[in-house]
Amino acid sequence: MKMISKNDMKERNRMSILKTIRSAVCSRAEISAALGLSKPAVSALVDELIKEGLVVETGRGDSTEAGGKKPILLDFQADVAMIAAVSFNNKHYEIALVDLLGVVKFYMKKKIRIYDDYRQTIDLIVQGIRDLIQEARAQGQQQPVMACGIAVRGLVDTDKGIMRYSSAMPWKDAPIGEYMSQSLDIPVFLENDARAGTYVEMLNSNGNYRDTLVCVSVGIGIGTGVVIGNEVYRGAFGGAVNLAHATIDHDGPLCRCGNRGCWEALASITAFGEELSRRDGKYAELEFNEIVSLYREGDPVVADVLLNYTGYWLGIGIATILNVFNPEQLIIQGEITQAGPELEKKIIEVVQQRVSAVTRRSQIRFSEHSEKLQVRGAAAIISNHFFSDMYHRMIWQ
């Protein structure tokens, strides 16, 4: 068995203290009591974190019942550095500069050109990052950009930063993580977009999902992320929980993957638009936000397709997920949440009719964090790594 060195123990204690302060404003004494560390050890590590700019003293708290000096309170400095966050598909790319707790500070979205050589496309994105950093500097934001997160649709090798395959791109086994890291001279981490969205919920939960969490991202496609024991589950080859192409209707519409009746072909926003167009061609050229506006204005066709078609099929697929994973919570993310509470209610109604009594205890809800979900997910990858023993020193040097 490998012995834990004093340096390893110090790093673990340092990370435990940092996570505790991130979770809530607290004092040195409270940290000592919560973590079982001596007050001198806590004070020494807190002083180190203050010197690095990660922690700040914010004033004094209330005295204890025994009296004495009021304790000095500590808070995490989320804006001590920025994260570059990137998401792209075959239509556009999004770039954001985000603080360490996921707040978007600067943002841009542009059309993209997908070249056969991935490097030509990535060069455009890298230039976009540089332009956004320049804008931030012009507005007086001088914090270092410590790392870059990328959220992309498809099969990715997160350890090696390689995009293995994406139906939206012509690239195979493209090492975009390494290429961007060399261009930007910072660490770059690549992740599947659905799992990136799951990191957003983990970041905003402060680690409260101790058992199982499932996130279903519904946009032009469908993606699923699963958290087990506060870790995102990937499977042996990074393709776990790919339920978008599970067959849920053998006689259903043709999917882009070549099969019929896939969940994505029935319940995604793309499928919603296609079903609307089949009902009436006047909906064919409308964007999703325009269709949502019609729904809110009382359009009966939109309401019927949204609730009784898309909502129904989303409920069918989600019921299967709940029966498999039995999570504490299942959170629905993405553009679909714009449709509001009636769709949420319909999905829950369908699910409740198709799951076991124990599975009915799982909470299903729309995410409160779907705005700019993909770039916030890309940033949340870095935030998660920042607070991990494995990657903290790679990112924070």
Side-chain angles (χ1 to χ4, degrees):
M1 189 173 92
K2 183 182 178 182
M3 298 294 291
I4 298 175
S5 70
K6 288 184 178 180
N7 281 339
D8 289 339
M9 185 60 69
K10 178 184 175 183
E11 277 297 300
R12 290 186 182 182
N13 291 340
R14 167 193 159 93
M15 291 308 302
S16 296
I17 291 170
L18 193 59
K19 291 174 186 176
T20 302
I21 297 171
R22 166 197 130 177
S23 297
V25 175
C26 54
S27 68
R28 290 169 174 83
E30 288 170 327
I31 295 169
S32 176
L35 299 179
L37 298 174
S38 70
K39 290 181 179 179
V42 169
S43 290
L45 287 169
V46 165
D47 289 346
E48 180 181 298
L49 292 169
I50 290 173
K51 186 177 180 180
E52 292 180 29
L54 291 171
V55 171
V56 63
E57 295 179 340
T58 61
R60 291 191 177 272
D62 297 326
S63 297
T64 64
E65 292 181 4
K69 282 186 176 182
K70 293 182 178 181
I72 297 173
L73 298 178
L74 306 166
D75 198 5
F76 177 65
Q77 282 285 79
D79 62 354
V80 68
M82 291 191 289
I83 297 165
V86 176
S87 176
F88 63 95
N89 54 36
N90 58 344
K91 294 182 179 180
H92 63 260
Y93 66 91
E94 297 175 89
I95 297 170
L97 296 178
V98 183
D99 75 13
L100 300 188
L101 289 182
V103 177
V104 176
K105 300 293 187 179
F106 297 88
Y107 173 82
M108 65 181 289
K109 180 177 180 179
K110 288 187 175 182
K111 290 183 178 180
I112 196 170
R113 180 174 178 182
I114 302 298
Y115 294 91
D116 289 337
D117 185 341
Y118 73 90
R119 290 169 293 191
Q120 290 180 270
T121 299
I122 297 303
D123 285 345
L124 296 175
I125 295 173
V126 167
Q127 187 56 52
I129 295 171
R130 289 171 176 156
D131 291 343
L132 200 60
I133 293 173
Q134 187 174 359
E135 179 184 333
R137 300 287 182 253
Q139 295 189 31
Q141 302 295 312
Q142 303 302 321
Q143 306 98 312
V145 177
M146 64 178 188
C148 176
I150 310 172
V152 291
R153 191 176 178 194
L155 182 63
V156 300
D157 185 327
T158 54
D159 292 332
K160 297 179 180 178
I162 296 173
M163 178 188 283
R164 295 297 185 190
Y165 168 79
S166 173
S167 60
M169 313 287 169
W171 314 327
K172 296 284 181 66
D173 298 329
I176 61 177
E178 180 183 3
Y179 185 74
M180 284 189 71
S181 181
Q182 291 174 349
S183 299
L184 295 169
D185 196 27
I186 55 176
V188 174
F189 294 86
L190 181 66
E191 184 58 277
N192 166 267
D193 57 354
R195 288 197 291 260
T198 305
Y199 278 116
V200 172
E201 300 298 339
M202 292 180 68
L203 181 65
N204 284 281
S205 76
N206 269 331
N208 290 330
Y209 298 110
R210 290 180 293 275
D211 192 4
T212 308
L213 163 72
V214 175
C215 291
V216 176
S217 177
V218 185
I220 59 174
I222 294 180
T224 308
V226 174
V227 178
I228 299 175
N230 221 31
E231 293 289 336
V232 175
Y233 181 65
R234 291 186 172 81
F237 307 106
V241 207
N242 182 14
L243 299 175
H245 299 289
T247 301
I248 60 173
D249 180 8
H250 291 287
D251 297 320
L254 186 67
C255 181
R256 61 183 175 83
C257 74
N259 292 327
R260 283 195 173 274
C262 294
W263 191 27
E264 184 171 284
L266 289 156
S268 65
I269 284 179
T270 304
F272 168 62
E274 289 171 350
E275 179 62 21
L276 261 181
S277 298
R278 282 192 285 269
R279 303 276 184 100
D280 193 323
K282 71 180 183 180
Y283 300 106
E285 300 301 321
L286 297 180
E287 297 291 335
F288 181 67
N289 61 333
E290 296 173 309
I291 296 172
V292 169
S293 294
L294 291 176
Y295 166 66
R296 290 173 179 160
E297 291 166 7
D299 186 307
V301 178
V302 173
D304 182 49
V305 174
L306 181 68
L307 300 177
N308 299 319
Y309 184 85
T310 302
Y312 171 80
W313 287 116
L314 278 171
I316 294 294
I318 286 171
T320 300
I321 293 173
L322 293 184
N323 282 328
V324 172
F325 291 103
N326 189 215
E328 293 175 76
Q329 291 197 50
L330 184 143
I331 300 175
I332 301 167
Q333 304 173 305
E335 287 181 274
I336 199 70
T337 61
Q338 295 176 33
E342 286 301 314
L343 178 60
E344 182 182 46
K345 182 180 176 182
K346 176 67 178 183
I347 293 168
I348 293 171
E349 177 186 303
V350 173
V351 169
Q352 292 295 313
Q353 296 170 356
R354 287 166 173 77
V355 294
S356 64
V358 67
T359 302
R360 288 193 193 105
R361 296 169 60 186
S362 299
Q363 181 189 3
I364 303 169
R365 64 177 176 86
F366 277 6
S367 174
E368 300 171 359
H369 310 292
S370 282
E371 185 181 2
K372 299 184 179 72
L373 176 65
Q374 296 306 315
V375 286
R376 291 174 62 240
I381 299 163
I382 305 302
S383 294
N384 179 76
H385 289 346
F386 178 82
F387 289 105
S388 74
D389 295 342
M390 182 179 296
Y391 293 109
H392 177 75
R393 284 299 181 184
M394 181 187 300
I395 295 171
W396 183 254
Q397 299 176 4

